[in-house]
Amino acid sequence: MTETLTPETIAAEHAALDALWMPFTANRAFKAAPRLLERAKDMHYVSDDGRRVLDGTAGLWCVNAGHCRESIVRAIAEAAATLDYAPGFQMGHPLQFRLAERLTAITPAGLDRVFFTNSGSEAVDTALKIALAYHRARGEPQRVRFVGRLRGYHGVGFGGISVGGILPAVDHLPHTHDLARNAFSRGQPAHGAELADDLERIVSERGAETIAAVIVEPMAGSTGVLIPPAGYLERLRAICDKHGLLLIFDEVITGFGRLAAPFAAQRFGVTPDMITMAKGITNGAVPMGAAVVRREIHDAVIEDAHRTAGGGIELFHGYTYSGHPLACAAGLATLELYEREDLFARAASLEDTWADAVHGLRGLPNVIDLRALGLVAGIELASREKVGARGYEVFVECFRRGLLIRVTGDIIALSPPLIVERSHIDEIFSTLSDVLRSVA
């Protein structure tokens, strides 16, 4: 039975917010005017005051099949009642092996060894550690440097924030965002493939023999929906091959149908050596991530340990909750749901409709760029004197009118669940258009 919410109970709940330090949140502003979500179903949240809120962001890029899907809920409940926890060190349980096999059925050919984590941040740190172990196993332990890209986001672990351009001691490629040449492009922008060539400069300065891997998001999501220029990822792949560098795609956001393909690697036709993933792997229902690697990388690490140390643990890495039974159950149910409802193809069928709606915002006040690919959109707004102020006001006003969006500075990001209907698309952009007209 759902408790009836009254003004008194709502006020009491708001007064009890102080104990929580919220992540990536303006805590003082939030607690002065909270935005609380009580429940969700399919395309909508319901707020604590009973309002339906259309989810324009799939939660945080993760609820690709819509909220509270019965088959996923049932699988989690059954797992919790059957095997609540199993240690992942020197032990295993059937669900984790089934999920790993199921994942490799949709990853690019050759990427068929899976290491489970609990988040995208952990998946990135895992991939970086595997890269070091691989080169050490091949007799090149001096390959310890990494190359990331400016305006990248790879989670909040120290490895991730280093390659993401937040900390020093890692080399960084320039980002690909070029408003002057590529504003209002449809699909992949035409200009910027040559920016990949900066990797040659880094190799020349540092020496290829010192570099372990290059890590990029095929499409940068959290920093503003930055779509790769045509030919850019292909050039990165070629340069990495030339110099023996591993190429890692961070697909925490782009995986599981977001770009109208299982992974961005397939969408762009470029196969990396590793893919990191999370979010859509369980439809956001249980925290989980994974690093999926080429078989040759896995085998090199395993065989080196047996050759040099006579067996035993090959990679000293893992997490207490790696391959947690509830997460694996959610992952299996999620992948089955994606397949049963053909959601990746469904996203592809809506891509043109989505892009038309995105570019229909052109000419509205303060809109300086529009970007769309798959079922993702980036709407860039001119900044006020304080960067991010206009974007935040649009975010708050959209929520007040029953639409959840996401903002990074003055860039609005949209990424609805893949079950979105054309009527939802109309509602998203009608509401956003009205708000953009109303916010000075």
Side-chain angles (χ1 to χ4, degrees):
M1 181 176 178
T2 303
E3 179 184 356
T4 301
L5 295 173
T6 66
E8 291 75 21
T9 59
I10 293 173
E13 289 179 0
H14 289 183
L17 301 177
D18 289 345
L20 177 63
W21 190 343
M22 300 173 67
F24 282 109
T25 297
N27 277 253
R28 184 174 295 178
F30 177 91
K31 291 171 184 179
R35 295 173 294 276
L36 299 178
L37 303 172
E38 290 278 343
R39 56 191 185 276
K41 182 61 180 168
D42 297 332
M43 283 294 301
H44 290 85
Y45 285 104
V46 178
S47 64
D48 63 337
D49 56 359
R51 294 184 305 111
R52 276 164 53 93
V53 179
L54 180 58
D55 186 359
T57 60
L60 273 176
W61 312 90
C62 51
V63 189
N64 289 3
H67 292 276
C68 295
R69 299 301 303 271
E70 291 181 10
S71 59
I72 300 174
V73 172
R74 185 168 57 251
I76 296 169
E78 291 174 357
T82 305
L83 182 67
D84 59 344
Y85 176 78
F89 302 171
Q90 306 286 14
M91 299 293 294
H93 63 88
L95 292 182
Q96 62 188 162
F97 294 97
R98 285 174 52 198
L99 179 57
E101 182 180 17
R102 183 67 184 81
L103 271 175
T104 61
I106 63 171
T107 51
L111 274 70
D112 58 7
R113 294 295 182 266
V114 181
F115 195 107
F116 285 122
T117 68
N118 310 294
S119 66
S121 296
E122 291 178 2
V124 167
D125 280 8
T126 296
L128 299 179
K129 185 177 281 190
I130 288 173
L132 296 177
Y134 169 71
H135 289 298
R136 186 167 58 247
R138 294 176 59 252
E140 296 187 81
Q142 75 280 4
R143 285 187 180 261
V144 296
R145 298 193 67 86
F146 293 99
V147 178
R149 186 171 61 193
L150 297 177
R151 289 189 70 168
Y153 180 76
H154 303 287
V156 294
F158 270 92
I161 61 177
S162 296
V163 295
I166 300 174
L167 291 182
V170 174
D171 292 294
H172 296 95
L173 296 163
H175 64 74
T176 62
H177 191 36
D178 188 345
L179 271 180
R181 295 191 296 170
N182 290 327
F184 302 103
S185 297
R186 285 185 71 106
Q188 288 185 264
H191 304 287
E194 71 282 356
L195 294 169
D197 295 338
D198 198 58
L199 181 55
E200 290 282 14
R201 175 191 61 80
I202 295 172
V203 168
S204 177
E205 291 178 356
R206 300 297 187 183
E209 70 280 0
T210 71
I211 301 173
V214 176
I215 180 169
V216 296
E217 300 160 273
M219 180 206 74
S222 294
T223 59
V225 185
L226 310 182
I227 298 169
Y232 173 84
L233 294 173
E234 292 88 339
R235 286 170 86 158
L236 272 188
R237 176 73 273 181
I239 297 169
C240 286
D241 288 343
K242 175 182 175 182
H243 296 290
L245 318 180
L246 296 179
L247 179 60
I248 303 169
F249 278 1
D250 182 346
E251 296 225 34
V252 169
I253 283 175
T254 55
F256 302 102
R258 181 52 53 195
L259 298 187
F263 293 92
Q266 289 125 325
R267 170 65 191 250
F268 296 122
V270 178
T271 301
D273 301 295
M274 297 188 228
I275 290 177
T276 59
M277 60 187 70
K279 295 189 183 292
I281 193 173
T282 63
N283 201 45
V286 179
M288 190 178 215
V292 182
V293 308
R294 280 196 298 111
R295 185 180 304 185
E296 294 85 351
I297 295 173
H298 165 274
D299 289 354
V301 174
I302 299 295
E303 291 168 8
D304 178 65
H306 284 255
R307 182 176 64 253
T308 60
I313 296 172
E314 298 96 354
L315 181 68
F316 283 82
H317 180 67
Y319 303 95
T320 300
Y321 302 111
S322 291
H324 192 282
L326 270 64
C328 289
L332 283 165
T334 296
L335 294 183
E336 289 166 5
L337 184 55
Y338 289 154
E339 182 177 15
R340 185 168 66 250
E341 298 188 355
D342 206 9
L343 290 183
F344 302 164
R346 190 174 190 284
S349 73
L350 288 170
E351 182 170 11
D352 288 343
T353 299
W354 177 258
D356 288 344
V358 174
H359 285 276
L361 300 176
R362 187 168 185 173
L364 290 183
N366 304 305
V367 173
I368 61 173
D369 192 23
L370 297 162
R371 304 182 282 275
L373 195 72
L375 289 185
V376 185
I379 298 107
E380 188 158 355
L381 307 178
S383 296
R384 295 172 180 164
E385 184 175 350
K386 182 180 178 181
V387 175
R390 177 172 283 118
Y392 182 74
E393 186 176 342
V394 170
F395 164 73
V396 171
E397 182 60 18
C398 279
F399 183 77
R400 190 185 72 81
R401 299 190 190 200
L403 172 65
L404 180 64
I405 64 171
R406 190 174 187 277
V407 291
T408 298
D410 287 304
I411 300 173
I412 299 164
L414 297 172
S415 58
L418 307 184
I419 63 169
V420 65
E421 301 283 352
R422 284 176 169 79
S423 60
H424 297 131
I425 295 174
D426 291 342
E427 183 179 348
I428 288 169
F429 287 95
S430 174
T431 301
L432 185 56
S433 295
D434 289 345
V435 171
L436 289 172
R437 290 187 179 95
S438 71
V439 171

